[in-house]
Amino acid sequence: MALACVWFWVSAWTASKDLPAVADEIAHITGGESYWRWGINHLQAENGYLAMHWATIPLRLNPPVFPPVPNDLPQTSSMIVIGNRLFYESGNDPALMLARGRAMMAVIGVGLVFVIWGWSRRVWGPAGGLLSAGLAAFCPTLLANGALVMSDVTFSLFLLLTVTLWWNLLRELSVGRVIACGLVLGLLLLSKISGILAGPMLVVLAFLRWLDPEPLAQRGAAVSATGARKFFLIAGAGGATALIAAGVLWAAFGFHFSMYANPAAPQPLPEFTWATFARDPGVMPHLVGALRKLQLLPEAWLNGVAHTFHDFAGRPAFLNGRSYLGGTPAYFPYAWLVKTPLTLFGLMALGLGAAVAGLAPRTGWRVTAPLLVLFVVYWAFALPSSVNIGHRHLMPVYATLLILAGGAAAWWPRNPAWLRGVVVVLAAWFAIESWWVRPRYLSYFNQVAGGPAQGYRHLVDSNVDVGQDLGALRDWLAANAGNEPIFLTFFGPADPVAYGIKATRFSDNGFDARRRTLPAQVKGGIYCISVTLFQGMYTLAPGPWNEELETRYRALLAIATARAPNPAEALALEQLQFARMRHVLAAQKPDARVGDSLLIFRLRDNEVAWMLYAPLAEIERVAAGAPR
């Protein structure tokens, strides 16, 4: 087990330590650093308080220069600007900040491997525990995210710990167990706003325990197996646990209610007012509003809840060639099927077979209830979710599946002997495939999806593209670009200029903190396009080109010919130019690829002009595969 933990830490950290800042890492590190300086965190309101604070602990040894925060920008815009200044314009070492933060996050990943081992050992015995720990240590999903300064691994660890400690508490009441469960629940709520999903899980477990005829132990003595006394004991334990968790939240924010309690802290404009949030649909605005009015929880944490629910409504998504707004129930099952190694499915099937066959004495529901409830309730909330941006959101489910896969070890002492060979082959193949794909864990896809190279045809965003190949692009351009103009459509928070890439940014303004002129003046050259934007995500025209877009595009061209377009018109024109070009490029084979997230097209002046100005009928004909 210790070897599995060490292997995981080394593998996760070395696979990510040299990557540029990816996904939300700049925001998390900037938010964490602002917390340590001012005690109140509202620069990065969305989520991940625990992860961002934990990751920035090493920076206390030599705090970076923190640039001034503009108070006249909204939170999100302020975060982009201040994060870029902190990393690239203040004389700090971004690589060092990332490496230290990732080393800290890998420790959290080790904790998750350890808990998976403990659970599997409890259910399947020592052999099962070792198998699950080994699988966790080689799991591409865990390794891809295990060292990134993000909140998913932290959330997965504390969610699994919370349901575990709550179930242990329901088996035997004690002050120590109440305190432990309350502390872990508080840390869960600080790890990610999704931690509130623990609420229905704990309620379901409490209901199951109340119905269970087995006596409830209290201070070592059995109490009534049913009835009102048992109900009130469970309810009392739940109330005490919730109070302790609330105390953890208050302590994290210095026991200040106001998110602006420190007058020295920056005060960027909020993304929306509380009155705006109150008009959002659903019960959450009313609940959060009541908690804020009564000042029962810190305003900064409540603001994170409000920000998350308000901002994530109607997020764009991409699945298997189609764009969606607000998500689709097929997203997470599909992502699970194509992003999970096929060998893990085989081991899970053997584990399920072992449970059905009764090969482990501890697979009864009284032992596995926390895992079953976590799995079922999490899926129940994931399927209708409108936030379909990454398979990483299924990480809590993977913990339960890796524990289930440990049951394959239960077949080892059984006959027929060939089953032992099957277990060995599947486990070895799992490890070998993980080693083969290393360090490209982020873009892993199994053979059904065509492997990592074809992943972007199925899923984008954090499933394959978080800006991780910027350094590789720099090296590719140095070897292949010569004096050709470079146009970059990049999905990621890192600054290409800081990596020595001199390019015209094109239709990626939402990820560019630098000032730019719109619309970009495009012509022949090397076009480097992140696959997320190539599939239309986070653009003004995510779907296929059509007559409606063509009409709008022609109108904007006419405006640009008659006069200088205003900022909104210029932005829309550039986005539609890119959409028209990618409609044609989608039918072409890229001239090169950089990693799994960047497509390279070499285009001449006349090709670019044709894509931008040719009649719609010609565009459609070539996009359908006909020669020009």
Side-chain angles (χ1 to χ4, degrees):
M1 187 280 299
L3 181 61
C5 289
V6 172
W7 177 267
F8 179 88
W9 189 93
V10 172
S11 296
W13 186 67
T14 56
S16 64
K17 71 178 182 68
D18 295 326
L19 294 179
V22 301
D24 297 327
E25 285 192 303
I26 288 181
H28 277 63
I29 290 176
T30 305
E33 184 62 20
S34 71
Y35 173 88
W36 289 114
R37 289 172 181 269
W38 293 297
I40 300 292
N41 189 338
H42 43 266
L43 280 183
Q44 172 63 358
E46 184 180 308
N47 59 41
Y49 298 102
L50 183 59
M52 65 178 76
H53 302 157
W54 172 260
T56 48
I57 287 177
L59 301 186
R60 311 282 51 79
L61 301 175
N62 185 21
V65 176
F66 203 93
V69 179
N71 291 339
D72 59 341
L73 290 176
Q75 284 171 333
T76 299
S77 300
S78 179
M79 203 61 194
I80 294 173
V81 171
I82 199 64
N84 189 76
R85 290 177 182 174
L86 173 68
F87 268 68
Y88 304 114
E89 299 178 9
S90 300
N92 299 314
D93 186 343
L96 183 62
M97 289 192 291
L98 288 167
R100 288 178 174 177
R102 289 165 176 170
M104 293 294 287
M105 295 310 302
V107 174
I108 301 290
V110 168
L112 183 58
V113 173
F114 182 84
V115 175
I116 290 172
W117 165 79
W119 253 111
S120 187
R121 190 176 189 276
R122 180 182 181 186
V123 174
W124 303 109
L130 291 176
L131 177 57
S132 290
L135 294 174
F138 281 92
C139 180
T141 299
L142 267 60
L143 289 170
N145 300 278
L148 298 183
V149 186
M150 303 276 283
S151 54
D152 301 288
V153 174
T154 309
F155 168 62
S156 301
L157 170 62
F158 284 100
L159 181 61
L160 183 57
L161 277 176
T162 297
V163 296
T164 301
L165 293 178
W166 174 243
W167 189 244
N168 290 344
L169 170 60
L170 294 178
R171 301 299 296 276
E172 181 176 349
L173 297 179
S174 71
V175 173
R177 292 189 175 195
V178 169
I179 293 174
C181 188
L183 290 175
V184 171
L185 176 59
L187 293 174
L188 170 64
L189 295 174
L190 286 170
S191 68
K192 197 172 186 180
I193 300 303
S194 303
I196 60 179
L197 288 178
M201 295 179 190
L202 302 188
V203 169
V204 171
L205 287 170
F207 184 70
L208 291 175
R209 189 66 182 97
W210 181 58
L211 294 179
D212 182 11
E214 183 180 77
L216 178 66
Q218 181 187 14
R219 298 190 184 93
V223 299
S224 59
T226 58
R229 185 181 180 192
K230 186 176 182 181
F231 174 84
F232 285 114
L233 282 171
I234 292 175
T241 298
L243 286 174
I244 295 171
V248 172
L249 292 182
W250 280 106
F253 294 100
F255 296 97
H256 297 296
F257 169 74
S258 174
M259 59 188 293
Y260 297 114
N262 185 348
Q267 299 184 18
L269 299 175
E271 291 292 325
F272 56 93
T273 65
W274 287 104
T276 302
F277 180 59
R279 292 192 293 269
D280 284 353
V283 68
M284 190 57 67
H286 302 287
L287 177 59
V288 172
L291 292 172
R292 178 173 177 265
K293 183 177 180 180
L294 297 172
Q295 299 190 10
L296 295 180
L297 292 174
E299 187 181 37
W301 187 81
L302 293 174
N303 180 61
V305 177
H307 184 280
T308 300
F309 276 84
H310 181 83
D311 183 55
F312 279 5
R315 286 287 294 268
F318 176 86
L319 174 63
N320 207 18
R322 289 189 60 190
S323 298
Y324 298 86
L325 187 63
T328 169
Y331 183 88
F332 283 113
Y334 189 90
W336 178 56
L337 289 173
V338 299
K339 293 278 290 180
T340 300
L342 299 180
T343 46
L344 184 56
F345 285 119
L347 291 166
M348 287 189 297
L350 288 173
L352 183 61
V356 173
L359 299 185
R362 295 184 175 181
T363 53
W365 76 269
R366 286 195 177 98
V367 174
T368 58
L371 302 178
L372 296 173
V373 169
L374 189 158
F375 182 87
V376 172
V377 172
Y378 196 85
W379 269 111
F381 280 90
L383 289 175
S385 171
S386 63
V387 185
N388 291 175
I389 60 174
H391 158 265
R392 59 188 170 86
H393 290 162
L394 289 179
M395 207 173 306
V397 172
Y398 271 87
T400 65
L401 297 179
L402 291 167
I403 294 167
L404 173 62
W411 294 102
W412 185 259
R414 309 285 172 172
N415 289 318
W418 60 266
L419 276 174
R420 305 173 191 174
V422 171
V423 174
V424 171
V425 169
L426 290 176
W429 184 6
F430 183 90
I432 291 170
E433 186 176 15
S434 174
W435 181 259
W436 172 77
V437 77
R438 172 183 170 80
R440 297 153 57 206
Y441 300 120
L442 278 164
S443 55
Y444 173 82
F445 282 79
N446 62 28
Q447 291 79 4
V448 171
Q454 301 301 317
Y456 76 97
R457 301 184 185 277
H458 300 267
L459 300 164
V460 289
D461 209 301
S462 62
N463 298 291
V464 63
D465 176 18
V466 286
Q468 72 271 22
D469 292 319
L470 188 63
L473 176 63
R474 172 198 57 203
D475 298 340
W476 187 91
L477 290 172
N480 297 277
N483 295 321
E484 297 174 81
I486 300 168
F487 298 90
L488 177 62
T489 307
F490 182 62
F491 177 71
D495 184 12
V497 174
Y499 279 77
I501 297 175
K502 298 179 179 179
T504 299
R505 301 290 291 266
F506 178 43
S507 195
D508 62 356
N509 59 293
F511 309 95
D512 184 9
R514 294 179 177 271
R515 294 184 179 275
R516 58 197 292 180
T517 301
L518 296 174
Q521 301 303 305
V522 293
K523 58 182 180 178
I526 298 177
Y527 284 75
C528 313
I529 307 174
S530 292
V531 294
T532 297
L533 299 175
F534 185 75
Q535 296 291 21
M537 283 278 284
Y538 305 109
T539 69
L540 297 181
W545 194 256
N546 54 42
E547 290 187 7
E548 180 182 349
L549 292 174
E550 179 73 11
T551 300
R552 186 182 176 194
Y553 174 61
R554 292 293 177 181
L556 288 170
L557 281 178
I559 290 173
T561 302
R563 60 170 172 81
N566 63 41
E569 293 167 340
L571 171 62
L573 177 57
E574 181 175 299
Q575 293 266 320
L576 291 175
Q577 285 178 325
F578 175 65
R580 207 172 196 262
M581 290 181 66
R582 67 179 178 80
H583 186 63
V584 178
L585 293 175
Q588 299 183 13
K589 182 180 179 181
D591 293 287
R593 298 178 57 132
V594 176
D596 298 312
S597 70
L598 284 162
L599 305 179
I600 308 295
F601 295 91
R602 272 193 158 100
L603 302 175
R604 297 187 297 272
D605 287 339
N606 63 330
E607 291 177 306
V608 174
W610 182 87
M611 291 180 190
L612 293 179
Y613 306 118
L616 177 60
E618 291 187 32
I619 291 291
E620 292 290 1
R621 183 177 59 82
V622 174
R628 253 188 68 186

